[in-house]
Amino acid sequence: MGKVVSFGEIMMRLSPPPFQRFTQASSFDVVYGGSEANIAVSLAHLGIPAEHVTRFPENDFGKTAVSELMKHGVNTSHIVYGPERLGVYFIEHGASVRASKVIYDRAGSAFAHIKPSMFDWEEILKGAAWFHWSGITPAISQGAADACYEAIHTARKLGVKITGDINYRRNLWQYGKTAIDVMPALIQESDIILGGLADFENCLGIRESDFTKACQAIHKKYPVITKIVTTYRNTIDGSHNQFSSAVWNGNALLTSKTYDLTNIVDRIGTGDAYMAGLIYGWLKNKSDQDAIEFATAACAIKHTIPGDVSTASVEEVEELVRGENIGKLLR
Amino acid sequence: MGKVVSFGEIMMRLSPPPFQRFTQASSFDVVYGGSEANIAVSLAHLGIPAEHVTRFPENDFGKTAVSELMKHGVNTSHIVYGPERLGVYFIEHGASVRASKVIYDRAGSAFAHIKPSMFDWEEILKGAAWFHWSGITPAISQGAADACYEAIHTARKLGVKITGDINYRRNLWQYGKTAIDVMPALIQESDIILGGLADFENCLGIRESDFTKACQAIHKKYPVITKIVTTYRNTIDGSHNQFSSAVWNGNALLTSKTYDLTNIVDRIGTGDAYMAGLIYGWLKNKSDQDAIEFATAACAIKHTIPGDVSTASVEEVEELVRGENIGKLLR
Amino acid sequence: MGKVVSFGEIMMRLSPPPFQRFTQASSFDVVYGGSEANIAVSLAHLGIPAEHVTRFPENDFGKTAVSELMKHGVNTSHIVYGPERLGVYFIEHGASVRASKVIYDRAGSAFAHIKPSMFDWEEILKGAAWFHWSGITPAISQGAADACYEAIHTARKLGVKITGDINYRRNLWQYGKTAIDVMPALIQESDIILGGLADFENCLGIRESDFTKACQAIHKKYPVITKIVTTYRNTIDGSHNQFSSAVWNGNALLTSKTYDLTNIVDRIGTGDAYMAGLIYGWLKNKSDQDAIEFATAACAIKHTIPGDVSTASVEEVEELVRGENIGKLLR
Amino acid sequence: MGKVVSFGEIMMRLSPPPFQRFTQASSFDVVYGGSEANIAVSLAHLGIPAEHVTRFPENDFGKTAVSELMKHGVNTSHIVYGPERLGVYFIEHGASVRASKVIYDRAGSAFAHIKPSMFDWEEILKGAAWFHWSGITPAISQGAADACYEAIHTARKLGVKITGDINYRRNLWQYGKTAIDVMPALIQESDIILGGLADFENCLGIRESDFTKACQAIHKKYPVITKIVTTYRNTIDGSHNQFSSAVWNGNALLTSKTYDLTNIVDRIGTGDAYMAGLIYGWLKNKSDQDAIEFATAACAIKHTIPGDVSTASVEEVEELVRGENIGKLLR
Amino acid sequence: MGKVVSFGEIMMRLSPPPFQRFTQASSFDVVYGGSEANIAVSLAHLGIPAEHVTRFPENDFGKTAVSELMKHGVNTSHIVYGPERLGVYFIEHGASVRASKVIYDRAGSAFAHIKPSMFDWEEILKGAAWFHWSGITPAISQGAADACYEAIHTARKLGVKITGDINYRRNLWQYGKTAIDVMPALIQESDIILGGLADFENCLGIRESDFTKACQAIHKKYPVITKIVTTYRNTIDGSHNQFSSAVWNGNALLTSKTYDLTNIVDRIGTGDAYMAGLIYGWLKNKSDQDAIEFATAACAIKHTIPGDVSTASVEEVEELVRGENIGKLLR
Amino acid sequence: MGKVVSFGEIMMRLSPPPFQRFTQASSFDVVYGGSEANIAVSLAHLGIPAEHVTRFPENDFGKTAVSELMKHGVNTSHIVYGPERLGVYFIEHGASVRASKVIYDRAGSAFAHIKPSMFDWEEILKGAAWFHWSGITPAISQGAADACYEAIHTARKLGVKITGDINYRRNLWQYGKTAIDVMPALIQESDIILGGLADFENCLGIRESDFTKACQAIHKKYPVITKIVTTYRNTIDGSHNQFSSAVWNGNALLTSKTYDLTNIVDRIGTGDAYMAGLIYGWLKNKSDQDAIEFATAACAIKHTIPGDVSTASVEEVEELVRGENIGKLLR
């Protein structure tokens, strides 16, 4: 099977021990993650050949982040290096009525210093089955946006399937452009996008209050896009969410089962586990309905796994899809 | 704004790591806390100038407890010292159907050895806006009861607003007097009291089965008291409580929203977070309804914070009052 | 009161820190346990003299496992030793929708190398009130099955009450015999058995779809058996179970209260806590109904205690039976 | 072999994690120990039947402390219980040039509340081979001193060998008597004492500058005492000590090998491991020279074991006496 | 006594657990420190009123760093805030033959964004006894250098004693100026400087191979400087250093005792503990010889304390100066 | 550069937290290692392409062990899998006078079940530069010995350089053959061997008391062997060793510098770090003297790194060879 290639920034994630606040912590747990890389790792655990492309500093933290990808079986051979820093993000996990708190400290990272032509996308994407990008990357710097466009454009040219997670974050976009300036060019060459109504408005200028209508409008304007996926999260509190998803496939809006997720362990990366599940499903030629069921179950399991990445196996996800052995003690 | 002054004992709190029982622990987590001091700390985090008055041993544990207050921004300049020990309390956190277990080891503490005139209350309370005491203090020793009376009496004389948390605990009161011998003199000079029907019976000899009637009876007998507050806790199990509160303000009994609190992290100090919220609300001239809503939300958040004290900010509490961002992941 | 004697294998249990997966762990928590020994420990905490009989390796891990039994007050004076290894089992605790995972590594243990006549059962059981065995033991090796039969037969001869937890596990039974070859001889000399419909089919060849009918059929064939107990667990997810139990006492099927168990801390050993509760109840001459209520409450509490064994006291269990102080903060 | 009986207080010991100071600790490691009990535990690990007699509170900490003794195989059947507290001591381990710091919080313990006749010494000491006491016990309270005298006197009467570790500590002796008032009556009925010149002066009023002369003077005045042992510690710094010992046996002063102890892990209880080694040696009829060599090696090993007690085996100690495998990696 | 004011950057320090390398760590211990602030903290523990001036981000990490200063009793009332980040530094502690490794990630910090006139030095230094700065500050940014000059100049004008730790670090100085451009103006208004021959060459252009001659040359050129201090460290390995110091006081070069420091716990901040000891000594009017003995002992103790700051008391330092109780177990 | 291929068993290593004994541990630290794999990992960190060949169980522990190799950049593509277990070894680290203790639990592992022809050595070794084996492998089982012979024989045929670490361990060799039966056939086809006089006697039947003479005798009998290496360790105690090495290269015995290693962190795998250093040196065409200096320094650094493997870089090792920055704090 052709590999899946993802592109995006990886940061050091620092979090206080369970339930502690930033101001209480005498230590931070450390993992390394980023939305697109999390997807590559999840796919590797689902048995899909995956490669992640990024830019790291030439220090022990860049080295450790690479090691972590390698540990999960993700190909790292086209990662490039520079003299700058590794971005950091701090997460204080919420619980019950208390919200989670994220403090980003990513300015000036090796990734933000990406310049066009730093990556040989023809070489990287040769023979690949899939390319995944997210709206975080073009929001970081002009260079990152340019490199992302190069990747998408090359993938399109080479006939590689493209998914984009729009993922609009207002606090990014500090380099003088807005999402609406940059995103349409990236989105219009993607086959499948993940997003919600606010993303469509902010990144495409398409304002609709109904998801199906929005999808129709997007498809009309950007006919390359054939499927649009969205997720629904009802946050009852920090330990209890309900989660489901839907896909518009040109014909209809198909909706997944809803999971009632109590005793949440780690909410970070659940959307990435979802995206990896989708890519897995379509690569394995599942129907759209089966693909979103698989992806939604993969997302549900990630809520129980500490860290940024899902290590769930195909068997675990499919058991949950079938409703078997949920939370059982298997001897 | 004038400072809030609190007076009461601080103990070393030792607790096994999450979920372990006393008999299993190979280490104890250590924090320092006490009902009245917890209120001072919460107020400091809410931006209110707060001072705590107590008596500590002249050893490293007294020193560390002072440092903890200082760390939170609580003024400690009128704390006095003696040669005795720091009281200790051990807490085994319950979970699900298992109850929490507290073992007190507080006899002979530096606080219990307080004697009248050890504190210059005129000096301490000069310019203060508020004085807070609780029914724990007069239960500890005759000297502590006497000092508490001195403080209340001085505060009254200086026109400082006074709150008292009656907090009747049968296991205290070992020094030869009962609550009914001592408490009325303290309560009758307080503006606002926090208590329930059992407290009123044990400390004031007022036995009523209806809260409003009890309040009317108290106010009739002790006209200085203008507001009476009470809290309602429905303990479904050790991880799941429901919490609300009410205030009788001379005219009516106003009731707060009820919070459904699952996945409780630390139940200790939640009442103190409530009391701090109330004092904050009234100092900020909130209406009685708004004050108890703020206080109830502050209390709800404390259930998610490990340790004795709440570090919630005004913004966090008000967001919860408005029902916004509950348990969300804020990027 | 005569002692309760249990017989069975004890393993080293290794588990990742809370919520971590096997593949994430940089340390494992270690305890020592086994179904029958867990019962002996629970009984010791309920004030019943208890002795456990097993075979351990002559190394530091056999020594530590003995120390753990001694720590809980279990008599270890008839344990024998050999040159082999201590069995190990690994448990990855599930949470929410994720199942728990157990990996056994018990082949070749000192217990599996038991040979007939290694234990002087006449000496061990002299004056005992009760003997307990489980279906795990005869599944391990021919020698273990033989020793188990010797124990049961001797107990029967000496008038010692016998309980057997059938506990059929398909993955055991690797030494060339099946449960149906071995179990009937052991079961037929037991006074009370714990099991479900699948156990009866696999171990006795009695296939019924109704529990009461199955009990009647068993009693008819094996008249020594006078009571048959079963437990009901509804696994909503890994953090939330519902649990109840029933006893058929020759006349009727009595059913216990159902507990709704959220925020489960450790599911392992809950069945053993149940069995210990039952033995306690009958030794104390409780009615069948009271015995299963006590046992069910004991089981409920074990869900909140980390490790293999319950350390609940009689007072704690009886409070839960009465529905008092559930999850309260007791000062 | 007849058992060794020890008598003395056991406290909860709380210590910051390695290298942290009291004022830095967010947790304390907890063990349970006391000089005489540490000796009983060491002896149990050396294969000698040992019993410890003490008085504990009837709470979870008394219960845990008993469990710890049971875990090590020490007989606890004559321990008595009362309503008071368990004494606590805090230890901040020194390192390099920094001294260790101990804060005692032992006033009002269940042990301090011992009264005469609480223990049936005839019953306890029947058939015992050895009784051990220390000078800490008579320093705690009049009742403890009285009970200690009862024990010594009964042991003497029953022909049980008696060792006393004089262990003078100026900060104890708060109940109105001084060591010189109380100790001579206890010492004069002991067969063997452990002490140094300062102990002899403070407890017996015998002031000598030469150890052999002091021994001769003591023996002359108290002819029951036949051997006097002393230890030499040269504290180069908190991580590096040199240790040796000597015994005066009526004829000569025999001196042991000196150990150079670097990278010390835990200095507490090293003297107790020494005393246990001595008792072991004499019970096994070693020569005086061999006995102090064994004891000195046992003491050296304790410096490498965290906690209050030595768990060294006879084989480990004898290997060190022979100078074999010191610090080796044994596969 | 007038306060000591220090000025400099505070960073978050992240370090792997003891002995682990960066690439192995699954958590980092977190403290907050910086050379000048470490001195203020040490002085507070020595009983000297201390204030630290800096600029922090307006987030939870700035808030926590302030809390840490407050906890130690350092006045923080003139700290200013901005929107930028908190600098971070990572330290991998060496051991034995392995060197320690530091990775700085301090670019773009709130401190680096300091601009002239952000601090009201007249107000801050009014009534102060001492001002301390280091060569790290002017190396960070032009604004920081300017503010440092303002502070020194104001201090000089107000008659406040000034110490400067030259502390030349080649890897700083990235903003377009070199040390020799900036440092002379700062040094020439300081009363006392701490530095070595390389510092003098790099920051003052004075190249000498003899320390006394260098001092004479400096004093000749900058007559305001009356004392020059230097430290000697012989790094045998990462766990074993030898340390001493010297002061040139215009007349002679006085040399301190040398400490042989084995089993080093934390080498960071030892120079700051030294500087604090010196300031203490001179504030207390010790002789130059006594001042460096005190400072050298304070530095020695810091090697045993984890974290950036020394919490040694005057008593502890003076005991070490007298050579008493070194590494003893004090009961 | 051609890759280095190593072949050997990997086990799960479980060790109590620093300084604790097996009987004290409530958790074990877990890493995965084995002599030959440790060498592959070290080489990968030295920048040499390395592949490890082994057989793992098809469970989460086999999977985690593979991930660990991948994390360090070791090629794992020819590892095979089977249904058996992963071997385990337990290590209690010694300290000061206390020896380390290892308990092996490796019987029945997936590696021990290796059969001939399970590995396609022609394919694996094609283009390789080096093959490394140790005497542990042929001691495990006949199948492992056979596979090891196949590998060596194929390597010889393909012109791949071969190193063998004789590493005789008496406690292995349980399958009916002795070292002298099996080892000569393996050794005689190796280019370079690592061993000492006892190894030569036990595995080759060559008994000499002088190392050079032994080397000459070996070379005479097995002319393929051109270099013989040995290491010297003087174990002063568990925290303090002295280490050096020598190589006989047909002409002379060259001896390395001796390192005095205090404050040892982890002694396991130091020999493997040495061997990796040698292979690195020769692959880089260092002289024999330079190769053993590099290897000895690499070994010295491993004593400071927790776990089985060295992660030292070429730069770190060469700095130590040059005697630079030993234990320094590098900013």
Side-chain angles (χ1 to χ4, degrees), chain B residues 19-21 23-24 91-92 95-102 104 169 171 235-239 263 267-268, chain C residues 71 259-265 300-301 304-307 309 311-313 316 320 325-331:
Chain B
F19 308 122
Q20 288 187 20
R21 309 204 70 178
T23 53
Q24 296 179 306
I91 163 96
E92 176 185 290
S96 190
V97 297
R98 180 158 56 86
S100 293
K101 217 168 173 175
V102 178
Y104 285 104
R169 298 190 187 168
N171 295 332
T235 300
I236 292 164
D237 68 29
S239 309
N263 298 81
R267 158 100 168 65
I268 302 282
Chain C
K71 169 177 142 186
Y259 288 89
D260 193 52
L261 300 163
T262 58
N263 298 82
I264 294 174
V265 171
I301 294 174
T304 73
I305 300 176
V309 301
T311 59
S313 66
E316 288 176 308
L320 183 56
N325 292 327
I326 300 179
K328 291 250 164 113
L329 174 60
L330 304 172
R331 303 211 202 228

Side-chain angles (χ1 to χ4, degrees), chain E residues 14-27:
Chain E
L14 296 170
S15 51
F19 307 121
Q20 289 186 20
R21 308 204 71 177
F22 285 141
T23 54
Q24 296 178 306
S26 61
S27 70

Side-chain angles (χ1 to χ4, degrees), chain A residues 262-263 304 306 316 328 331, chain C residues 19 21 24 96 98 100 104:
Chain A
T262 58
N263 298 83
T304 73
E316 287 177 309
K328 290 251 163 112
R331 304 213 201 228
Chain C
F19 307 121
R21 308 204 72 177
Q24 295 178 306
S96 191
R98 180 158 54 86
S100 293
Y104 285 104

Side-chain angles (χ1 to χ4, degrees), chain E residues 260-282:
Chain E
D260 192 52
L261 299 164
T262 58
N263 298 82
I264 294 174
V265 171
D266 196 324
R267 156 100 168 65
I268 304 281
T270 52
D272 306 324
Y274 178 81
M275 193 72 226
L278 268 188
I279 295 174
Y280 173 85
W282 283 320

Side-chain angles (χ1 to χ4, degrees), chain B residues 131 133 148-156 162 186 189-190:
Chain B
F131 175 73
W133 64 280
C148 194
Y149 179 76
E150 291 173 1
I152 292 167
H153 195 67
T154 309
R156 175 108 253 116
I162 302 169
L186 304 170
E189 299 205 37
S190 302

